């Protein structure tokens, strides 16, 4: 990952922390890295949704003749290491892109109409762009990855917590691995089956993986919709237009007091 982007993310994170302190906001809660009553449910929902949707992508690509399926891993001894990598990458990227960069941008655009959505789009574009350095990366694949950034940004701002985006991110990558797909161009992690791309890469994403193909991109849209349904069920008065669902920490604490 570009070291400059890391420093930019840290800079926006420092900006957010300073702003929170100056405005007497609870810093850790505002950054979304404290547990709350919904954290366990966020993790569960975040793990289940991509696992189910990627399963549908597998079925769709198989039906379209876009993949050939062969036996999966015989040796699962590397699963623990693979899972550790998947969780580690997801946690690092969510802290950098959502907790730090997105938090700072939301403050910067707080007085702009649709500022939260604009912030999500900017961070998602950066998220997709950094994946252009991945093996087998393409512009289409980077766009599909950016759609993932939109999902994680929505999840972070809607819940005001890191748990749902991290769980979604982990599950998306793990599910691709388990169904035998490349994960953003990376291979070698064990899966139930091995899925080899054949034919038009628009249908399978080629060596980059499902997010570089139309079924995978459609899956991203479906996941985003399911995330919005989930947060709307938790907070029925929330607004998709403003991308505000979970209670503001300051207002919530004031009500409790």
């Amino acid at each position: 990952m570009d070291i400059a982007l890391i420093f930019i993310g840290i800079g926006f994170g420092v900006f957010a922390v300073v702003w929170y302190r100056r405005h007497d906001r609870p810093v850790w809660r505002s950054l979304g890295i404290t547990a709350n009553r919904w954290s366990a449910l966020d993790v569960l929902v975040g793990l289940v949704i991509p696992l189910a949707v990627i399963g549908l992508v597998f079925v769709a690509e198989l039906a379209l003749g876009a993949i050939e399926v062969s036996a999966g891993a015989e040796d699962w001894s590397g699963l623990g290491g693979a899972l550790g990598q998947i969780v580690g990458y997801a946690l690092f990227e969510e802290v950098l892109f959502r907790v730090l960069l997105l938090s700072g941008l939301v403050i910067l655009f707080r007085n702009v109409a649709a500022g939260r959505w604009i912030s999500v789009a900017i961070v998602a574009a950066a998220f997709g762009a950094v994946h252009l350095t991945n093996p087998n990366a393409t512009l289409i694949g980077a766009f599909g990855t950016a759609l993932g950034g939109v999902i994680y940004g929505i999840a972070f701002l809607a819940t005001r917590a890191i748990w749902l985006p991290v769980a979604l991110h982990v599950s998306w990558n793990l599910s691709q691995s388990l169904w035998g797909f490349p994960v953003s161009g990376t291979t070698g992690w064990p899966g139930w089956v091995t899925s080899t791309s054949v034919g038009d890469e628009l249908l399978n994403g080629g060596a980059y993986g499902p997010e570089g193909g139309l079924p995978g991109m459609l899956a991203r849209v479906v996941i985003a919709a399911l995330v919005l349904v989930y947060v709307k069920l938790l907070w029925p008065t929330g607004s998709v237009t403003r991308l505000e669902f979970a209670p503001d920490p300051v207002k919530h604490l004031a009500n409790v007091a």
Side-chain angles (χ1 to χ4, degrees):
M1 182 176 293
D2 188 350
I3 191 68
L5 181 59
I6 294 176
F7 280 110
I8 290 171
I10 293 173
F12 271 95
V14 171
F15 165 68
V17 169
V18 171
W19 191 89
Y20 292 146
R21 288 192 179 279
R22 287 183 175 177
H23 291 79
D24 296 320
R25 298 180 64 88
V27 173
W28 295 112
R29 290 190 65 177
S30 296
L31 288 172
I33 48 180
T34 56
N36 58 56
R37 61 184 294 195
W38 303 113
S39 298
L41 183 60
D42 286 350
V43 171
L44 178 61
V45 169
L47 292 175
V48 169
I49 289 177
L51 182 62
V53 174
I54 289 294
L56 294 176
V57 171
F58 173 82
V59 172
E61 292 191 5
L62 187 61
L64 291 169
I67 54 174
E68 292 179 348
V69 179
S70 55
E74 296 182 0
D75 181 8
W76 286 83
S77 61
L79 179 61
L83 184 59
Q85 286 183 317
I86 290 171
V87 173
Y89 289 148
L91 186 59
F92 172 77
E93 290 180 342
E94 290 312 304
V95 169
L96 176 63
F97 286 97
R98 258 58 68 174
V99 173
L100 301 179
L101 185 54
L102 182 55
S103 292
L105 281 172
V106 166
I107 295 170
L108 191 64
F109 290 107
R110 66 189 181 279
N111 296 321
V112 177
R116 292 167 75 86
W117 281 106
I118 293 171
S119 300
V120 167
I122 292 172
V123 176
F127 183 68
V130 299
H131 285 77
L132 283 170
T133 60
N134 282 26
N136 306 303
T138 64
L139 288 175
I140 295 176
F143 176 77
T145 300
L147 291 179
V150 173
I151 295 171
Y152 309 141
I154 291 172
F156 179 73
L157 294 183
T159 62
R160 297 182 186 270
I162 194 175
W163 311 110
L164 182 59
V166 167
L168 288 164
H169 199 154
V170 168
S171 185
W172 174 269
N173 290 347
L174 179 62
S175 300
Q176 288 184 108
S177 174
L178 290 175
W179 286 109
F181 293 118
V183 181
S184 300
T186 302
T187 57
W189 291 333
W192 295 317
V193 295
T194 299
S195 301
T196 304
S197 301
V198 293
D200 193 342
E201 291 189 1
L202 281 177
L203 296 179
N204 52 43
Y208 188 74
E211 55 208 325
L214 293 178
M217 293 182 193
L218 179 59
R220 294 289 208 186
V221 176
V222 170
I223 292 174
L226 291 174
V227 167
L228 287 171
V229 169
Y230 168 65
V231 296
K232 190 67 174 178
L233 288 173
L234 290 184
W235 300 286
T237 59
S239 169
V240 174
T241 303
R242 297 191 307 273
L243 195 48
E244 293 180 343
F245 290 88
D248 181 279
V250 172
K251 295 179 182 177
H252 177 69
L253 290 175
N255 291 335
V256 171

